[in-house]
């Protein structure tokens, strides 16, 4: 019997990359289940199973056989280029270091939870010092970068540099601080008075996001304490949310997560099960969620269509609320202590604070011991408020417990990119306001699919941005948007 013909290198490579993509989908499914369905007793075994899966995925991603295949196929193919990049980066980090980072990060979570509960930074300090030390060693695996923080940033925002973020954030900060000060000085609009039945909120959120493109055949909405979105595959998108009776914030959170889902759902099917079949970066991803949540979901045309529908669901709470009062209430801007509760205007200031501290920690100009004091000083400087305790200050986020330095900037980059894309979309879609006011979200979704979603990781974030908007990363459209919006809403002087 003749031996079966060996598949060529290109087919073998694709099979290996498809396997890596499948392992990513399985990890996503396990993570989704952990946060939505798993009974508490599953926690221990699930942690062990996820570690096993992670180790297998790492072994496959760094396998010498994969490197050999990459050496033999056409390096000009974008798929090969990206696969090569991922493979090289994964191999640069010694297995023992990667394992230690994962283990120390996982152990630190428990320490952090306890420290935050007791508002005791000293209890968390050794764990954070260990995490920082490991991240320094990680950065040393990439000696070619200009700044050690570049190596951390690159994991989430490929090709972005610390210098670039510093420059863009400095401009954003210079515009945001006076704007938020002016808004804070104006009388606060009255908040909406609930209660908003959580079942009705869920139905309203579903009605809205179905108009965005959520389709029951390929999407799910489930409950999770911390809302998130994940794509098991482009035709299996899991979105989670949480509603509470006191406000409509859960509805906005679902719009946010569906924005993430639409990105993954809109990637060219040809790229599925390859290295290129997901979003270009976390910042680009966040631009999609922020665009739907804020630029669409907090706009006047949008609520011209949806407020009458919301009133039908909440006649007691919204029956007497005018469109203008509703908009002022859902767009309230106030400096607050907690990032995840921050509004559209102050949010980026929370991120800038964390970025500046992380860079100083990596540079060694700030020690972990000095961190709480530095945090509190920056809160005063950027948001004008005093931090009463570390639980509501330096201990509030989970990221540093995980050792995830370099992640925070992507949140503000998302706000910046969202405003740039929004400006470009409005130019291309002159009837956009009328379409939104008619409840027609398809033209915007299709514009985003064409200019952002379908490309997956084929283009770098900066290439994507440049093609879609003709511009480099630029905070000005965001500042212009916020300035125009809040001057009108708060009737501020010019
Ligand atoms: Zn998000």
């Amino acid at each position: 019997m003749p031996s079966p013909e060996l598949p060529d290198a290109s087919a073998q490579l694709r099979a290996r990359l498809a396997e890596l993509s499948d392992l990513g989908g399985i990890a996503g499914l396990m993570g989704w289940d952990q946060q939505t369905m798993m009974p508490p007793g599953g926690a221990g075994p699930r942690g062990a199973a996820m570690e096993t899966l992670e180790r297998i995925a790492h072994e496959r991603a760094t396998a010498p056989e994969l490197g050999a295949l990459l050496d033999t196929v056409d390096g000009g193919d974008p798929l090969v280029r990206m696969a090569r990049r991922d493979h090289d980066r994964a191999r640069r980090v010694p297995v023992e270091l990667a394992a230690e980072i994962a283990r120390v990060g996982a152990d630190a979570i428990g320490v952090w939870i306890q420290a935050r509960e007791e508002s005791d930074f000293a209890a968390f300090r050794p764990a954070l010092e260990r995490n920082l030390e490991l991240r320094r060693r990680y950065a040393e695996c990439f000696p070619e970068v200009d700044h050690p923080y570049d190596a951390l940033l690159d994991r989430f925002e490929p090709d972005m540099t610390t210098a670039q973020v510093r420059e863009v954030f400095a401009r954003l900060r210079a515009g945001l601080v006076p704007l938020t000060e002016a808004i804070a000085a104006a009388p606060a609009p009255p908040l909406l008075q609930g209660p908003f039945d959580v079942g009705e909120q869920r139905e309203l959120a579903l009605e809205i996001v179905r108009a965005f493109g959520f389709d029951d055949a390929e999407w799910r909405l489930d409950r999770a304490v911390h809302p998130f979105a994940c794509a098991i595959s482009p035709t299996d998108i899991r979105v989670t949310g949480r509603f509470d009776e006191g406000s409509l914030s859960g509805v906005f959170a679902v719009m946010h997560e569906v924005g993430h889902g639409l990105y993954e759902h809109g990637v060219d099917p040809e790229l599925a099960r390859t290295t290129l079949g997901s979003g270009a970066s976390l910042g680009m991803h966040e631009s999609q969620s922020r665009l739907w949540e804020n630029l669409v979901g907090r706009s006047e045309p949008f609520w011209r269509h949806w407020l009458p529908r919301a009133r039908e669901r909440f006649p007691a709470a919204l029956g007497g609320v005018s469109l203008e009062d509703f908009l002022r209430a859902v767009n309230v801007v106030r400096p607050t202590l907690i990032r995840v509760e921050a509004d559209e205007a102050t949010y980026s200031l929370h991120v800038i604070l964390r970025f500046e501290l992380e860079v100083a920690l990596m540079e060694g100009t700030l020690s972990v011991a000095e961190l709480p004091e530095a945090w509190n000083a920056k809160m005063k400087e950027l948001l004008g408020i005093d931090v009463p305790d570390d639980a509501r200050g330096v201990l509030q986020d989970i990221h540093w417990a995980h050792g995830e330095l370099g992640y925070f900037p992507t949140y503000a980059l998302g706000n910046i990119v969202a405003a740039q894309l929004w400006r470009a979309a409005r130019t291309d879609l002159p009837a956009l306001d009328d379409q939104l006011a008619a409840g027609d979200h398809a033209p915007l979704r299709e514009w985003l699919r064409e200019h952002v979603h379908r490309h997956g990781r084929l283009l770098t974030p900066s290439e994507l941005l440049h093609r879609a908007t003709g511009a480099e990363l630029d905070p000005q459209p965001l500042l212009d948007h916020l300035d125009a919006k809040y001057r009108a809403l708060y009737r501020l002087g010019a």
Side-chain angles (χ1 to χ4, degrees):
M1 222 172 81
S3 63
E5 206 179 288
L6 277 176
D8 64 20
S10 171
Q12 286 184 49
L13 175 65
R14 282 188 166 267
R16 278 189 173 264
L17 297 178
E19 215 175 59
L20 282 173
S21 163
D22 289 345
L23 289 170
I26 295 166
L29 183 57
M30 283 168 68
W32 171 86
D33 175 77
Q34 189 180 36
Q35 296 188 60
T36 55
M37 299 289 163
M38 189 184 75
R46 181 60 50 90
M50 287 174 83
E51 207 180 306
T52 299
L53 184 64
E54 171 68 33
R55 197 175 53 246
I56 293 170
H58 187 262
E59 277 166 15
R60 302 263 166 160
T62 55
E65 296 85 347
L66 176 58
L69 285 170
L70 285 165
D71 287 339
T72 57
V73 296
D74 171 18
D77 178 344
L79 172 62
V80 177
R81 213 166 46 230
M82 189 59 84
R84 159 68 66 195
R85 185 187 199 281
D86 290 352
H87 177 71
D88 287 349
R89 284 192 65 85
R91 280 182 67 89
R92 294 279 281 281
V93 184
V95 173
E96 312 81 60
L97 177 59
E100 202 178 349
I101 285 175
R103 195 175 55 247
V104 171
D107 290 348
I109 297 292
V111 178
W112 167 74
I113 290 171
Q114 179 104 23
R116 188 174 72 158
E117 238 161 56
E118 291 162 11
S119 195
D120 181 3
F121 182 77
F124 178 56
R125 184 179 146 187
L128 183 53
E129 280 169 344
R130 191 86 191 92
N131 274 334
L132 180 62
E133 167 58 27
L134 290 171
R135 289 301 161 174
R136 287 222 180 92
R137 278 170 55 199
Y138 176 92
E140 282 164 11
C141 301
F142 303 89
E144 73 281 10
V145 297
D146 293 331
H147 191 288
Y149 194 78
D150 287 359
L152 305 184
L153 201 52
D154 192 86
R155 297 176 57 228
F156 310 108
E157 217 44 55
D159 301 329
M160 179 86 63
T161 66
T162 308
Q164 202 182 355
V165 176
R166 216 195 293 254
E167 188 265 332
V168 168
F169 279 9
R171 288 167 59 203
L172 185 58
R173 177 185 171 152
L176 278 183
V177 170
L179 176 67
T180 51
E181 275 172 5
I183 298 170
L191 294 176
L192 299 174
Q193 298 299 321
F196 301 96
D197 177 82
V198 295
E200 288 291 337
Q201 281 197 62
R202 187 176 188 278
E203 288 307 312
L204 175 65
L206 274 173
E207 198 185 335
I208 290 172
V209 298
R210 282 186 182 123
F212 290 178
F214 181 110
D215 165 359
D216 291 344
E218 300 184 338
W219 296 65
R220 283 188 63 89
L221 171 63
D222 294 278
R223 192 186 175 284
V225 176
H226 302 288
F228 65 95
C230 95
I232 311 302
S233 77
T235 49
D236 181 357
I237 311 287
R238 312 291 174 99
V239 182
T240 63
R242 183 183 60 172
F243 303 98
D244 85 82
E245 270 197 358
S247 81
L248 291 173
S249 65
V251 174
F252 290 94
V254 172
M255 292 189 227
H256 178 103
E257 301 306 337
V258 167
H260 283 300
L262 285 170
Y263 192 175
E264 298 287 328
H265 190 257
V267 173
D268 184 342
E270 294 268 303
L271 303 179
R273 295 185 80 227
T274 77
T275 306
L276 304 175
S278 64
S281 72
L282 286 194
M284 194 54 74
H285 237 295
E286 198 64 9
S287 78
Q288 299 308 294
S289 54
R290 294 278 165 186
L291 190 144
W292 288 102
E293 176 195 0
N294 288 331
L295 293 150
V296 174
R298 294 183 201 274
S299 73
E300 196 260 349
F302 177 82
W303 285 105
R304 245 191 282 154
H305 177 78
W306 290 103
L307 183 58
R309 281 148 188 85
R311 279 200 198 102
E312 284 170 24
R313 294 187 183 276
F314 311 106
L318 296 179
V321 178
S322 69
L323 177 59
E324 197 194 353
D325 286 345
F326 181 85
L327 286 168
R328 283 161 60 86
V330 298
N331 282 292
V332 68
V333 171
R334 279 293 170 264
T336 49
L337 291 164
I338 308 295
R339 174 185 60 86
V340 294
E341 294 166 7
D343 54 72
E344 187 184 359
T346 58
Y347 191 95
S348 298
L349 292 172
H350 290 265
V351 174
I352 291 170
L353 172 146
R354 287 155 177 76
F355 167 73
E356 291 179 358
L357 295 176
E358 285 187 344
V359 171
L361 285 171
M362 283 300 282
E363 284 176 345
T365 52
L366 176 71
S367 72
V368 171
E370 296 163 330
L371 191 56
E373 207 179 310
W375 178 288
N376 297 349
K378 278 206 188 290
M379 278 302 281
K380 190 78 183 165
E381 199 181 307
L382 289 165
L383 287 143
I385 51 178
D386 294 309
V387 180
D389 50 57
D390 289 338
R392 283 174 282 180
V394 68
L395 287 173
Q396 66 181 267
D397 298 301
I398 197 170
H399 304 58
W400 289 345
H402 268 303
E404 287 301 19
L405 282 84
Y407 190 114
F408 282 122
T410 65
Y411 294 123
L413 293 171
N415 287 333
I416 291 170
V417 171
Q420 290 188 260
L421 292 171
W422 183 245
R423 179 177 283 186
R426 294 181 72 82
T427 305
D428 287 355
L429 303 172
L432 182 58
D433 279 353
D434 295 335
Q435 288 155 352
L436 295 178
D440 180 9
H441 305 86
L444 177 63
R445 183 189 64 239
E446 292 310 311
W447 188 92
L448 290 168
R449 187 189 296 254
E450 169 66 23
H451 290 89
V452 180
H453 303 170
R454 70 183 174 93
H455 299 293
R457 293 175 80 203
L458 259 177
L459 304 172
T460 67
S462 61
E463 285 170 345
L464 203 55
L465 184 64
H466 203 273
R467 285 208 203 176
T469 69
E472 309 295 320
L473 186 68
D474 178 8
Q476 200 56 49
L478 175 60
L479 289 168
D480 291 347
H481 155 75
L482 292 173
D483 198 70
K485 173 171 170 173
Y486 287 105
R487 278 190 193 290
L489 272 175
Y490 280 77
R491 305 190 190 93
L492 302 176

Short mmCIF file of all heavy atoms in Angstrom, two decimals, residues 256-257 260 285-286 289-290 411, ligand 1:
data_model
loop_
_atom_site.label_atom_id
_atom_site.label_comp_id
_atom_site.label_asym_id
_atom_site.label_seq_id
_atom_site.Cartn_x
_atom_site.Cartn_y
_atom_site.Cartn_z
N HIS A 256 -21.96 47.67 26.14
CA HIS A 256 -20.49 47.63 26.11
C HIS A 256 -20.00 46.24 25.69
O HIS A 256 -19.22 46.11 24.74
CB HIS A 256 -19.96 47.99 27.51
CG HIS A 256 -18.47 47.95 27.64
ND1 HIS A 256 -17.70 49.08 27.65
CD2 HIS A 256 -17.61 46.90 27.75
CE1 HIS A 256 -16.42 48.73 27.77
NE2 HIS A 256 -16.34 47.42 27.83
N GLU A 257 -20.49 45.23 26.37
CA GLU A 257 -20.00 43.87 26.09
C GLU A 257 -20.40 43.41 24.69
O GLU A 257 -19.65 42.70 24.03
CB GLU A 257 -20.48 42.89 27.16
CG GLU A 257 -20.03 43.23 28.60
CD GLU A 257 -18.51 43.42 28.75
OE1 GLU A 257 -17.76 42.89 27.90
OE2 GLU A 257 -18.09 44.10 29.71
N HIS A 260 -17.91 44.50 22.21
CA HIS A 260 -16.80 43.54 22.10
C HIS A 260 -17.21 42.36 21.23
O HIS A 260 -16.46 41.90 20.37
CB HIS A 260 -16.41 43.02 23.48
CG HIS A 260 -15.60 43.97 24.31
ND1 HIS A 260 -14.39 44.46 23.91
CD2 HIS A 260 -15.83 44.52 25.53
CE1 HIS A 260 -13.89 45.26 24.86
NE2 HIS A 260 -14.77 45.33 25.85
N HIS A 285 -10.16 46.67 20.71
CA HIS A 285 -11.36 46.00 21.22
C HIS A 285 -12.18 46.97 22.07
O HIS A 285 -13.40 47.09 21.92
CB HIS A 285 -10.97 44.78 22.06
CG HIS A 285 -11.60 43.52 21.55
ND1 HIS A 285 -12.96 43.33 21.57
CD2 HIS A 285 -11.07 42.42 20.98
CE1 HIS A 285 -13.23 42.15 21.03
NE2 HIS A 285 -12.10 41.58 20.66
N GLU A 286 -11.48 47.65 22.96
CA GLU A 286 -12.19 48.56 23.87
C GLU A 286 -12.81 49.72 23.07
O GLU A 286 -13.83 50.27 23.47
CB GLU A 286 -11.22 49.06 24.94
CG GLU A 286 -11.86 49.66 26.17
CD GLU A 286 -12.71 48.69 27.00
OE1 GLU A 286 -12.68 47.48 26.74
OE2 GLU A 286 -13.41 49.18 27.90
N SER A 289 -16.31 48.50 22.21
CA SER A 289 -17.27 48.48 23.31
C SER A 289 -17.65 49.89 23.73
O SER A 289 -18.82 50.19 23.98
CB SER A 289 -16.69 47.71 24.49
OG SER A 289 -15.43 48.21 24.86
N ARG A 290 -16.67 50.76 23.78
CA ARG A 290 -16.94 52.15 24.19
C ARG A 290 -17.79 52.88 23.16
O ARG A 290 -18.60 53.74 23.49
CB ARG A 290 -15.62 52.91 24.37
CG ARG A 290 -14.79 52.40 25.48
CD ARG A 290 -15.26 52.97 26.79
NE ARG A 290 -14.68 52.22 27.89
CZ ARG A 290 -15.00 52.41 29.15
NH1 ARG A 290 -15.90 53.29 29.48
NH2 ARG A 290 -14.43 51.69 30.08
N TYR A 411 -7.55 50.72 28.15
CA TYR A 411 -8.90 51.26 28.40
C TYR A 411 -9.03 52.68 27.84
O TYR A 411 -10.02 53.02 27.19
CB TYR A 411 -9.21 51.29 29.89
CG TYR A 411 -9.32 49.95 30.57
CD1 TYR A 411 -8.52 49.64 31.65
CD2 TYR A 411 -10.25 49.00 30.15
CE1 TYR A 411 -8.63 48.42 32.32
CE2 TYR A 411 -10.36 47.78 30.80
CZ TYR A 411 -9.55 47.50 31.89
OH TYR A 411 -9.65 46.30 32.53
ZN1 LIG B 1 -14.47 46.35 27.65
#
